[in-house]
Amino acid sequence: MSFKLSTGLRNYLLAMGSLRKAFENGVLKIYSGSTPTSADDAETGVLLCTISKASGVVSANEKGTQKI
């Protein structure tokens, strides 16, 4: 398995912060089909599932809480 970074994520990491901060309140979408050649390519296949924080709805203005 390879690790591919999109241009937007690469620019964020170089300019602003960490990978943890970039994915805070993120949503993971899993599609069927083959892996794209680049992280910037459009999604292909059928959306199989969406994984979010506590399996709930994540809004753009919702802030995550860090736990130790």
Side-chain angles (χ1 to χ4, degrees):
M1 181 170 69
S2 63
F3 189 70
K4 299 176 185 178
L5 298 176
S6 67
T7 305
L9 178 58
R10 206 174 294 231
N11 291 341
Y12 179 87
L13 293 174
L14 289 171
M16 296 184 184
S18 67
L19 189 63
R20 178 180 179 167
K21 190 70 174 168
F23 284 104
E24 185 177 64
N25 297 325
V27 175
L28 178 65
K29 294 182 179 181
I30 300 176
Y31 289 88
S32 66
S34 61
T35 306
T37 55
S38 168
D40 292 325
D41 290 347
E43 302 90 10
T44 59
V46 177
L47 179 63
L48 299 175
C49 70
T50 302
I51 302 171
S52 64
K53 179 176 69 173
S55 298
V57 177
V58 178
S59 63
N61 51 358
E62 181 181 346
K63 298 292 183 189
T65 55
Q66 298 178 1
K67 297 178 183 173
I68 296 177

